[in-house]
Amino acid sequence: MREGRSPAFYLLAAFFGLYVLFLYGPMIVIFVLSFQGPQGGMTFPMNGASVHWFAKLWEGGGIVDIGAAFWRSLELGLVVTLVTVVFSTLAGLAYRRKFRGQAVLFYVAIASLIVPSIVTSLGIALLFRLIDAAVKAGPDWMSGTYTTALGLFTSGLAAHLTWTLPFGLLIMFAIFNRFDGRLEEAARDLGATPWQGFRHVVLPLILPALIGVALFGFTLSWDEIARSSQAIGSDNTLPLQLQALTTTVTTPMIYALGTTTTGVSFVVIAIALLGIALLRARQKRHGSDAGKA
């Protein structure tokens, strides 16, 4: 006879349900309210349903240029993703062999995960302002047309990499830690060069992990506020514009912006999952073809 579930099960299930509601409830409410009608307000009940506030958002709302901020965030996110994937892969390959000081280098690389984000942002901003002061104190040919080193792809890129690179490194270290080196040895025995071994053996096997690193890199950069707040310069990204609008906008347009930024993250996640699924299907197909041969 099957025993019934204990009261503890239902208690934990209720607790988990409340946790999910707490986690996703506010996001769902923002999604719904972003489709308020033209006369709708910031709270329920809904006053019609439309995309009016999305249209107002892309018009700029008379306050900020959302379109420009969107493209700045997208460009920065793509650059951060590329740099994170490349350097994480190179570091993972390097750490497959022992070298002096590797433990110290590892802890230095991931230390930014435990340093408060605002402190990291302030430190990077201070460093680039010191660079500004040094350049402006130099000869005229250096300081004549010089303005500042702070910018989207200088200090902003550096600030975002302090957040994305440690995650990429940890993922690639875990992947290469359980990578079977005999596969590369077999490729070398068959006459493959080191590049051919990486291109045809290593890369196809680690490609799903690289997609995961790229996903981390883009989404973390796309949503970052604290590390951007002091180090980004004058070109605000979309999250910074969202933060600024919370103090000036009292219409559902702020919800439309939140829905847009979250929607982009969901699209990137869907593309990453689709890419991983296609790679796995391709590997299974090649494996079955090899078995038949």
Side-chain angles (χ1 to χ4, degrees), residues 176-240:
F176 280 116
N177 187 51
R178 54 190 177 88
F179 188 83
D180 191 350
R182 293 175 297 180
L183 298 173
E184 292 176 277
E185 294 178 3
R188 287 194 295 268
D189 291 341
L190 294 173
T193 63
W195 166 248
Q196 289 173 331
F198 175 78
R199 168 67 180 82
H200 298 288
V201 178
V202 178
L203 185 59
L205 294 176
I206 68 171
L207 199 53
L210 293 182
I211 295 177
V213 172
L215 177 61
F216 263 108
F218 183 84
T219 54
L220 290 176
S221 173
W222 176 258
D223 295 327
E224 183 57 36
I225 291 182
R227 293 172 192 258
S228 303
S229 59
Q230 305 299 319
I232 207 71
S234 59
D235 296 327
N236 281 351
T237 57
L238 199 58
L240 290 176

Short mmCIF file of all heavy atoms in Angstrom, two decimals, residues 176-240:
data_model
loop_
_atom_site.label_atom_id
_atom_site.label_comp_id
_atom_site.label_asym_id
_atom_site.label_seq_id
_atom_site.Cartn_x
_atom_site.Cartn_y
_atom_site.Cartn_z
N PHE A 176 37.94 21.84 -18.86
CA PHE A 176 39.24 21.27 -19.18
C PHE A 176 39.75 20.35 -18.08
O PHE A 176 40.61 19.48 -18.34
CB PHE A 176 40.27 22.38 -19.44
CG PHE A 176 40.15 22.98 -20.82
CD1 PHE A 176 39.81 24.30 -20.99
CD2 PHE A 176 40.38 22.20 -21.95
CE1 PHE A 176 39.69 24.85 -22.26
CE2 PHE A 176 40.28 22.74 -23.22
CZ PHE A 176 39.93 24.07 -23.38
N ASN A 177 39.25 20.51 -16.86
CA ASN A 177 39.67 19.63 -15.77
C ASN A 177 39.23 18.19 -16.01
O ASN A 177 39.90 17.24 -15.56
CB ASN A 177 39.11 20.14 -14.45
CG ASN A 177 39.64 19.39 -13.26
OD1 ASN A 177 40.84 19.22 -13.09
ND2 ASN A 177 38.74 18.91 -12.42
N ARG A 178 38.11 18.00 -16.72
CA ARG A 178 37.64 16.65 -17.02
C ARG A 178 37.75 16.30 -18.51
O ARG A 178 37.10 15.37 -18.98
CB ARG A 178 36.20 16.48 -16.54
CG ARG A 178 35.23 17.50 -17.04
CD ARG A 178 33.89 17.38 -16.31
NE ARG A 178 32.93 18.40 -16.71
CZ ARG A 178 32.09 18.29 -17.72
NH1 ARG A 178 32.10 17.17 -18.44
NH2 ARG A 178 31.24 19.24 -18.02
N PHE A 179 38.56 17.08 -19.22
CA PHE A 179 38.75 16.81 -20.64
C PHE A 179 39.72 15.64 -20.82
O PHE A 179 40.77 15.58 -20.17
CB PHE A 179 39.30 18.05 -21.34
CG PHE A 179 39.35 17.93 -22.84
CD1 PHE A 179 38.23 18.20 -23.61
CD2 PHE A 179 40.50 17.51 -23.48
CE1 PHE A 179 38.26 18.09 -24.99
CE2 PHE A 179 40.55 17.41 -24.85
CZ PHE A 179 39.42 17.69 -25.61
N ASP A 180 39.38 14.70 -21.68
CA ASP A 180 40.21 13.51 -21.91
C ASP A 180 41.34 13.85 -22.89
O ASP A 180 41.12 14.00 -24.09
CB ASP A 180 39.34 12.38 -22.48
CG ASP A 180 40.07 11.04 -22.48
OD1 ASP A 180 41.29 11.04 -22.22
OD2 ASP A 180 39.42 10.01 -22.73
N GLY A 181 42.55 13.99 -22.35
CA GLY A 181 43.70 14.35 -23.19
C GLY A 181 44.10 13.26 -24.18
O GLY A 181 44.84 13.54 -25.13
N ARG A 182 43.59 12.05 -23.99
CA ARG A 182 43.94 10.97 -24.94
C ARG A 182 43.37 11.23 -26.32
O ARG A 182 43.91 10.73 -27.32
CB ARG A 182 43.42 9.63 -24.40
CG ARG A 182 44.13 9.17 -23.12
CD ARG A 182 43.49 7.92 -22.57
NE ARG A 182 42.10 8.16 -22.17
CZ ARG A 182 41.31 7.22 -21.65
NH1 ARG A 182 41.79 5.99 -21.48
NH2 ARG A 182 40.07 7.50 -21.30
N LEU A 183 42.32 12.02 -26.39
CA LEU A 183 41.76 12.36 -27.70
C LEU A 183 42.75 13.18 -28.52
O LEU A 183 42.92 12.97 -29.72
CB LEU A 183 40.45 13.13 -27.52
CG LEU A 183 39.33 12.37 -26.80
CD1 LEU A 183 38.15 13.30 -26.53
CD2 LEU A 183 38.88 11.18 -27.63
N GLU A 184 43.42 14.12 -27.87
CA GLU A 184 44.44 14.92 -28.56
C GLU A 184 45.64 14.07 -28.93
O GLU A 184 46.23 14.24 -30.00
CB GLU A 184 44.86 16.09 -27.68
CG GLU A 184 43.79 17.13 -27.47
CD GLU A 184 44.23 18.21 -26.52
OE1 GLU A 184 44.13 18.00 -25.30
OE2 GLU A 184 44.69 19.28 -27.00
N GLU A 185 46.02 13.16 -28.03
CA GLU A 185 47.14 12.27 -28.32
C GLU A 185 46.85 11.42 -29.54
O GLU A 185 47.73 11.21 -30.41
CB GLU A 185 47.44 11.39 -27.11
CG GLU A 185 47.94 12.16 -25.90
CD GLU A 185 48.17 11.25 -24.71
OE1 GLU A 185 47.99 10.01 -24.87
OE2 GLU A 185 48.51 11.74 -23.63
N ALA A 186 45.63 10.94 -29.64
CA ALA A 186 45.25 10.14 -30.82
C ALA A 186 45.33 10.98 -32.09
O ALA A 186 45.77 10.50 -33.14
CB ALA A 186 43.84 9.59 -30.63
N ALA A 187 44.90 12.24 -31.99
CA ALA A 187 44.98 13.12 -33.16
C ALA A 187 46.42 13.36 -33.57
O ALA A 187 46.75 13.36 -34.78
CB ALA A 187 44.28 14.44 -32.86
N ARG A 188 47.31 13.55 -32.60
CA ARG A 188 48.72 13.75 -32.92
C ARG A 188 49.34 12.49 -33.52
O ARG A 188 50.17 12.55 -34.43
CB ARG A 188 49.49 14.19 -31.67
CG ARG A 188 49.20 15.62 -31.25
CD ARG A 188 50.22 16.11 -30.24
NE ARG A 188 50.13 15.35 -28.99
CZ ARG A 188 49.39 15.72 -27.95
NH1 ARG A 188 48.65 16.82 -28.04
NH2 ARG A 188 49.37 15.00 -26.85
N ASP A 189 48.93 11.34 -33.00
CA ASP A 189 49.44 10.09 -33.57
C ASP A 189 49.04 9.91 -35.02
O ASP A 189 49.75 9.26 -35.80
CB ASP A 189 48.93 8.90 -32.74
CG ASP A 189 49.54 8.85 -31.35
OD1 ASP A 189 50.60 9.49 -31.15
OD2 ASP A 189 48.95 8.21 -30.46
N LEU A 190 47.90 10.51 -35.39
CA LEU A 190 47.44 10.43 -36.77
C LEU A 190 48.01 11.54 -37.64
O LEU A 190 47.63 11.66 -38.81
CB LEU A 190 45.91 10.49 -36.81
CG LEU A 190 45.19 9.29 -36.18
CD1 LEU A 190 43.69 9.54 -36.12
CD2 LEU A 190 45.49 8.02 -36.98
N GLY A 191 48.94 12.32 -37.08
CA GLY A 191 49.62 13.34 -37.87
C GLY A 191 49.05 14.73 -37.78
O GLY A 191 49.47 15.63 -38.53
N ALA A 192 48.12 14.98 -36.88
CA ALA A 192 47.52 16.31 -36.77
C ALA A 192 48.49 17.27 -36.08
O ALA A 192 49.22 16.90 -35.15
CB ALA A 192 46.22 16.24 -35.97
N THR A 193 48.52 18.49 -36.55
CA THR A 193 49.31 19.54 -35.91
C THR A 193 48.56 20.01 -34.66
O THR A 193 47.37 19.71 -34.48
CB THR A 193 49.50 20.73 -36.86
OG1 THR A 193 48.22 21.31 -37.16
CG2 THR A 193 50.17 20.28 -38.16
N PRO A 194 49.23 20.76 -33.76
CA PRO A 194 48.52 21.28 -32.58
C PRO A 194 47.28 22.09 -32.95
O PRO A 194 46.25 21.97 -32.28
CB PRO A 194 49.58 22.15 -31.89
CG PRO A 194 50.87 21.51 -32.28
CD PRO A 194 50.69 21.02 -33.67
N TRP A 195 47.36 22.92 -34.00
CA TRP A 195 46.20 23.70 -34.40
C TRP A 195 45.09 22.80 -34.94
O TRP A 195 43.92 23.00 -34.63
CB TRP A 195 46.58 24.72 -35.46
CG TRP A 195 45.39 25.32 -36.16
CD1 TRP A 195 45.03 25.16 -37.46
CD2 TRP A 195 44.37 26.15 -35.57
NE1 TRP A 195 43.86 25.83 -37.73
CE2 TRP A 195 43.43 26.45 -36.59
CE3 TRP A 195 44.16 26.66 -34.30
CZ2 TRP A 195 42.31 27.24 -36.37
CZ3 TRP A 195 43.04 27.45 -34.08
CH2 TRP A 195 42.14 27.74 -35.10
N GLN A 196 45.46 21.80 -35.73
CA GLN A 196 44.45 20.87 -36.26
C GLN A 196 43.80 20.08 -35.12
O GLN A 196 42.59 19.82 -35.15
CB GLN A 196 45.08 19.93 -37.27
CG GLN A 196 45.45 20.59 -38.58
CD GLN A 196 46.23 19.68 -39.50
OE1 GLN A 196 46.95 18.77 -39.04
NE2 GLN A 196 46.08 19.87 -40.81
N GLY A 197 44.60 19.71 -34.13
CA GLY A 197 44.03 19.00 -32.99
C GLY A 197 43.03 19.86 -32.23
O GLY A 197 41.97 19.38 -31.82
N PHE A 198 43.36 21.13 -32.08
CA PHE A 198 42.43 22.03 -31.39
C PHE A 198 41.18 22.27 -32.24
O PHE A 198 40.06 22.21 -31.73
CB PHE A 198 43.11 23.36 -31.09
CG PHE A 198 42.19 24.39 -30.49
CD1 PHE A 198 41.84 24.34 -29.15
CD2 PHE A 198 41.64 25.39 -31.28
CE1 PHE A 198 40.98 25.28 -28.60
CE2 PHE A 198 40.78 26.34 -30.74
CZ PHE A 198 40.45 26.27 -29.39
N ARG A 199 41.41 22.50 -33.54
CA ARG A 199 40.29 22.87 -34.42
C ARG A 199 39.31 21.71 -34.62
O ARG A 199 38.10 21.91 -34.62
CB ARG A 199 40.86 23.30 -35.79
CG ARG A 199 39.84 23.44 -36.92
CD ARG A 199 38.87 24.57 -36.67
NE ARG A 199 37.91 24.69 -37.74
CZ ARG A 199 36.81 23.96 -37.87
NH1 ARG A 199 36.53 23.04 -36.94
NH2 ARG A 199 35.98 24.13 -38.87
N HIS A 200 39.81 20.49 -34.78
CA HIS A 200 38.95 19.37 -35.14
C HIS A 200 38.61 18.44 -33.97
O HIS A 200 37.70 17.61 -34.11
CB HIS A 200 39.61 18.54 -36.25
CG HIS A 200 39.82 19.32 -37.52
ND1 HIS A 200 38.79 19.67 -38.35
CD2 HIS A 200 40.95 19.82 -38.09
CE1 HIS A 200 39.26 20.35 -39.39
NE2 HIS A 200 40.57 20.45 -39.26
N VAL A 201 39.33 18.56 -32.85
CA VAL A 201 39.08 17.66 -31.71
C VAL A 201 38.59 18.44 -30.49
O VAL A 201 37.51 18.19 -29.95
CB VAL A 201 40.35 16.85 -31.36
CG1 VAL A 201 40.07 15.97 -30.13
CG2 VAL A 201 40.79 16.01 -32.54
N VAL A 202 39.41 19.41 -30.04
CA VAL A 202 39.10 20.11 -28.80
C VAL A 202 37.90 21.05 -28.98
O VAL A 202 36.95 21.01 -28.19
CB VAL A 202 40.33 20.90 -28.31
CG1 VAL A 202 39.98 21.67 -27.03
CG2 VAL A 202 41.49 19.95 -28.05
N LEU A 203 37.95 21.89 -30.01
CA LEU A 203 36.91 22.90 -30.17
C LEU A 203 35.50 22.32 -30.30
O LEU A 203 34.57 22.82 -29.64
CB LEU A 203 37.23 23.79 -31.38
CG LEU A 203 36.30 24.98 -31.61
CD1 LEU A 203 36.30 25.89 -30.39
CD2 LEU A 203 36.70 25.75 -32.86
N PRO A 204 35.28 21.28 -31.11
CA PRO A 204 33.91 20.74 -31.17
C PRO A 204 33.41 20.21 -29.83
O PRO A 204 32.20 20.29 -29.55
CB PRO A 204 34.04 19.59 -32.20
CG PRO A 204 35.21 19.97 -33.04
CD PRO A 204 36.17 20.63 -32.10
N LEU A 205 34.33 19.71 -28.99
CA LEU A 205 33.91 19.15 -27.71
C LEU A 205 33.61 20.23 -26.67
O LEU A 205 32.77 20.03 -25.79
CB LEU A 205 34.99 18.20 -27.18
CG LEU A 205 35.21 16.92 -28.01
CD1 LEU A 205 36.36 16.12 -27.43
CD2 LEU A 205 33.93 16.07 -28.01
N ILE A 206 34.32 21.35 -26.75
CA ILE A 206 34.10 22.41 -25.75
C ILE A 206 33.14 23.48 -26.25
O ILE A 206 32.84 24.42 -25.52
CB ILE A 206 35.44 23.06 -25.34
CG1 ILE A 206 36.03 23.85 -26.52
CG2 ILE A 206 36.42 22.03 -24.81
CD1 ILE A 206 37.23 24.70 -26.13
N LEU A 207 32.66 23.34 -27.48
CA LEU A 207 31.80 24.39 -28.05
C LEU A 207 30.53 24.65 -27.24
O LEU A 207 30.15 25.81 -27.05
CB LEU A 207 31.45 24.04 -29.50
CG LEU A 207 30.97 25.20 -30.38
CD1 LEU A 207 31.95 26.36 -30.33
CD2 LEU A 207 30.76 24.73 -31.81
N PRO A 208 29.83 23.62 -26.73
CA PRO A 208 28.68 23.92 -25.88
C PRO A 208 29.04 24.76 -24.65
O PRO A 208 28.29 25.65 -24.25
CB PRO A 208 28.16 22.54 -25.48
CG PRO A 208 28.61 21.64 -26.58
CD PRO A 208 29.95 22.17 -27.00
N ALA A 209 30.22 24.48 -24.07
CA ALA A 209 30.66 25.27 -22.92
C ALA A 209 30.97 26.70 -23.34
O ALA A 209 30.69 27.65 -22.59
CB ALA A 209 31.90 24.64 -22.29
N LEU A 210 31.53 26.89 -24.53
CA LEU A 210 31.80 28.24 -25.01
C LEU A 210 30.52 29.03 -25.22
O LEU A 210 30.48 30.24 -24.98
CB LEU A 210 32.60 28.17 -26.32
CG LEU A 210 34.03 27.62 -26.23
CD1 LEU A 210 34.71 27.67 -27.59
CD2 LEU A 210 34.83 28.40 -25.20
N ILE A 211 29.47 28.35 -25.67
CA ILE A 211 28.18 29.02 -25.80
C ILE A 211 27.69 29.46 -24.42
O ILE A 211 27.13 30.55 -24.25
CB ILE A 211 27.16 28.10 -26.49
CG1 ILE A 211 27.59 27.83 -27.94
CG2 ILE A 211 25.77 28.71 -26.45
CD1 ILE A 211 26.68 26.87 -28.67
N GLY A 212 27.88 28.60 -23.43
CA GLY A 212 27.51 28.97 -22.06
C GLY A 212 28.31 30.16 -21.56
O GLY A 212 27.75 31.06 -20.91
N VAL A 213 29.61 30.20 -21.84
CA VAL A 213 30.43 31.34 -21.45
C VAL A 213 29.94 32.61 -22.14
O VAL A 213 29.86 33.68 -21.54
CB VAL A 213 31.91 31.07 -21.79
CG1 VAL A 213 32.75 32.33 -21.58
CG2 VAL A 213 32.45 29.93 -20.94
N ALA A 214 29.63 32.48 -23.44
CA ALA A 214 29.11 33.64 -24.18
C ALA A 214 27.80 34.12 -23.59
O ALA A 214 27.55 35.34 -23.50
CB ALA A 214 28.94 33.27 -25.66
N LEU A 215 26.96 33.19 -23.18
CA LEU A 215 25.67 33.56 -22.56
C LEU A 215 25.90 34.32 -21.27
O LEU A 215 25.27 35.36 -21.02
CB LEU A 215 24.85 32.30 -22.31
CG LEU A 215 23.50 32.48 -21.61
CD1 LEU A 215 22.59 33.37 -22.43
CD2 LEU A 215 22.86 31.12 -21.36
N PHE A 216 26.81 33.82 -20.44
CA PHE A 216 27.14 34.53 -19.20
C PHE A 216 27.68 35.92 -19.53
O PHE A 216 27.27 36.92 -18.91
CB PHE A 216 28.20 33.74 -18.41
CG PHE A 216 27.63 32.87 -17.33
CD1 PHE A 216 27.61 31.50 -17.48
CD2 PHE A 216 27.12 33.43 -16.18
CE1 PHE A 216 27.09 30.68 -16.49
CE2 PHE A 216 26.60 32.62 -15.17
CZ PHE A 216 26.59 31.24 -15.33
N GLY A 217 28.62 35.98 -20.47
CA GLY A 217 29.25 37.26 -20.79
C GLY A 217 28.25 38.30 -21.23
O GLY A 217 28.27 39.45 -20.75
N PHE A 218 27.35 37.92 -22.13
CA PHE A 218 26.41 38.91 -22.67
C PHE A 218 25.38 39.32 -21.63
O PHE A 218 25.13 40.52 -21.43
CB PHE A 218 25.72 38.38 -23.91
CG PHE A 218 24.81 39.40 -24.55
CD1 PHE A 218 25.31 40.33 -25.42
CD2 PHE A 218 23.45 39.44 -24.24
CE1 PHE A 218 24.49 41.30 -25.99
CE2 PHE A 218 22.62 40.40 -24.80
CZ PHE A 218 23.15 41.32 -25.68
N THR A 219 24.75 38.36 -20.98
CA THR A 219 23.67 38.70 -20.06
C THR A 219 24.18 39.47 -18.84
O THR A 219 23.49 40.39 -18.36
CB THR A 219 22.92 37.44 -19.60
OG1 THR A 219 23.87 36.49 -19.06
CG2 THR A 219 22.19 36.79 -20.76
N LEU A 220 25.35 39.12 -18.34
CA LEU A 220 25.89 39.86 -17.21
C LEU A 220 26.24 41.29 -17.60
O LEU A 220 26.02 42.24 -16.83
CB LEU A 220 27.14 39.15 -16.65
CG LEU A 220 26.90 37.82 -15.94
CD1 LEU A 220 28.22 37.19 -15.53
CD2 LEU A 220 26.00 38.01 -14.72
N SER A 221 26.79 41.47 -18.79
CA SER A 221 27.11 42.81 -19.27
C SER A 221 25.84 43.61 -19.57
O SER A 221 25.74 44.79 -19.25
CB SER A 221 27.99 42.73 -20.52
OG SER A 221 28.17 44.00 -21.11
N TRP A 222 24.88 42.95 -20.19
CA TRP A 222 23.65 43.62 -20.60
C TRP A 222 22.88 44.21 -19.42
O TRP A 222 22.30 45.29 -19.53
CB TRP A 222 22.78 42.62 -21.36
CG TRP A 222 21.45 43.12 -21.78
CD1 TRP A 222 20.24 42.85 -21.19
CD2 TRP A 222 21.14 43.98 -22.89
NE1 TRP A 222 19.22 43.48 -21.86
CE2 TRP A 222 19.74 44.17 -22.91
CE3 TRP A 222 21.92 44.59 -23.88
CZ2 TRP A 222 19.11 44.96 -23.86
CZ3 TRP A 222 21.29 45.37 -24.83
CH2 TRP A 222 19.91 45.55 -24.82
N ASP A 223 22.89 43.52 -18.29
CA ASP A 223 22.10 43.95 -17.14
C ASP A 223 22.90 44.70 -16.08
O ASP A 223 22.35 45.05 -15.04
CB ASP A 223 21.45 42.73 -16.47
CG ASP A 223 20.44 42.05 -17.38
OD1 ASP A 223 19.80 42.76 -18.17
OD2 ASP A 223 20.31 40.81 -17.31
N GLU A 224 24.18 44.94 -16.33
CA GLU A 224 25.04 45.48 -15.27
C GLU A 224 24.79 46.96 -15.03
O GLU A 224 24.71 47.76 -15.96
CB GLU A 224 26.51 45.26 -15.64
CG GLU A 224 27.49 45.72 -14.58
CD GLU A 224 27.25 45.08 -13.22
OE1 GLU A 224 26.88 43.89 -13.17
OE2 GLU A 224 27.44 45.78 -12.21
N ILE A 225 24.65 47.32 -13.75
CA ILE A 225 24.47 48.71 -13.35
C ILE A 225 25.60 49.19 -12.45
O ILE A 225 26.25 50.20 -12.72
CB ILE A 225 23.12 48.92 -12.64
CG1 ILE A 225 21.96 48.75 -13.62
CG2 ILE A 225 23.05 50.31 -12.01
CD1 ILE A 225 20.60 48.98 -12.99
N ALA A 226 25.84 48.46 -11.35
CA ALA A 226 26.77 48.94 -10.33
C ALA A 226 28.17 49.17 -10.89
O ALA A 226 28.80 50.20 -10.63
CB ALA A 226 26.82 47.94 -9.17
N ARG A 227 28.68 48.22 -11.67
CA ARG A 227 30.04 48.37 -12.20
C ARG A 227 30.11 49.41 -13.32
O ARG A 227 31.19 49.88 -13.65
CB ARG A 227 30.56 47.02 -12.68
CG ARG A 227 30.78 46.04 -11.54
CD ARG A 227 31.11 44.64 -12.03
NE ARG A 227 31.04 43.69 -10.94
CZ ARG A 227 32.09 43.19 -10.30
NH1 ARG A 227 33.30 43.54 -10.65
NH2 ARG A 227 31.94 42.34 -9.31
N SER A 228 28.95 49.71 -13.89
CA SER A 228 28.93 50.73 -14.95
C SER A 228 28.76 52.13 -14.40
O SER A 228 29.11 53.11 -15.06
CB SER A 228 27.78 50.45 -15.92
OG SER A 228 27.86 49.16 -16.48
N SER A 229 28.23 52.25 -13.20
CA SER A 229 27.76 53.53 -12.70
C SER A 229 28.86 54.59 -12.63
O SER A 229 28.61 55.76 -12.93
CB SER A 229 27.12 53.35 -11.32
OG SER A 229 28.07 52.81 -10.41
N GLN A 230 30.08 54.20 -12.24
CA GLN A 230 31.15 55.17 -12.09
C GLN A 230 32.17 55.10 -13.22
O GLN A 230 32.94 56.04 -13.42
CB GLN A 230 31.88 54.94 -10.75
CG GLN A 230 30.99 54.95 -9.54
CD GLN A 230 30.29 56.28 -9.35
OE1 GLN A 230 30.89 57.33 -9.54
NE2 GLN A 230 29.02 56.23 -8.99
N ALA A 231 32.19 53.99 -13.95
CA ALA A 231 33.29 53.75 -14.90
C ALA A 231 32.91 53.91 -16.36
O ALA A 231 33.78 53.82 -17.22
CB ALA A 231 33.86 52.34 -14.67
N ILE A 232 31.64 54.15 -16.65
CA ILE A 232 31.20 54.09 -18.04
C ILE A 232 31.44 55.40 -18.78
O ILE A 232 31.38 55.44 -20.01
CB ILE A 232 29.71 53.70 -18.11
CG1 ILE A 232 29.39 52.98 -19.42
CG2 ILE A 232 28.82 54.92 -17.94
CD1 ILE A 232 29.96 51.61 -19.54
N GLY A 233 31.67 56.49 -18.06
CA GLY A 233 31.81 57.78 -18.72
C GLY A 233 30.47 58.43 -18.96
O GLY A 233 29.51 58.23 -18.21
N SER A 234 30.37 59.19 -20.04
CA SER A 234 29.14 59.95 -20.32
C SER A 234 28.13 59.18 -21.17
O SER A 234 26.99 59.62 -21.32
CB SER A 234 29.49 61.26 -21.04
OG SER A 234 30.18 60.99 -22.26
N ASP A 235 28.54 58.06 -21.75
CA ASP A 235 27.65 57.29 -22.62
C ASP A 235 26.93 56.21 -21.81
O ASP A 235 27.42 55.09 -21.65
CB ASP A 235 28.44 56.63 -23.76
CG ASP A 235 29.07 57.66 -24.67
OD1 ASP A 235 28.47 58.74 -24.85
OD2 ASP A 235 30.17 57.40 -25.21
N ASN A 236 25.77 56.56 -21.29
CA ASN A 236 25.03 55.63 -20.45
C ASN A 236 24.53 54.43 -21.23
O ASN A 236 24.12 54.55 -22.38
CB ASN A 236 23.83 56.33 -19.81
CG ASN A 236 24.24 57.18 -18.63
OD1 ASN A 236 25.38 57.13 -18.18
ND2 ASN A 236 23.32 57.97 -18.12
N THR A 237 24.56 53.28 -20.57
CA THR A 237 23.98 52.07 -21.15
C THR A 237 22.50 52.00 -20.81
O THR A 237 21.98 52.83 -20.06
CB THR A 237 24.70 50.83 -20.62
OG1 THR A 237 24.61 50.82 -19.19
CG2 THR A 237 26.16 50.81 -21.04
N LEU A 238 21.82 51.00 -21.35
CA LEU A 238 20.38 50.90 -21.14
C LEU A 238 20.00 50.71 -19.67
O LEU A 238 19.05 51.34 -19.19
CB LEU A 238 19.83 49.75 -22.00
CG LEU A 238 18.32 49.76 -22.27
CD1 LEU A 238 17.91 51.06 -22.94
CD2 LEU A 238 17.92 48.58 -23.14
N PRO A 239 20.69 49.84 -18.91
CA PRO A 239 20.34 49.72 -17.48
C PRO A 239 20.50 51.03 -16.72
O PRO A 239 19.71 51.34 -15.82
CB PRO A 239 21.30 48.65 -16.97
CG PRO A 239 21.63 47.83 -18.17
CD PRO A 239 21.68 48.81 -19.30
N LEU A 240 21.53 51.82 -17.07
CA LEU A 240 21.71 53.11 -16.40
C LEU A 240 20.59 54.08 -16.75
O LEU A 240 20.15 54.87 -15.91
CB LEU A 240 23.07 53.70 -16.77
CG LEU A 240 24.29 52.99 -16.18
CD1 LEU A 240 25.58 53.62 -16.71
CD2 LEU A 240 24.27 53.02 -14.66
#
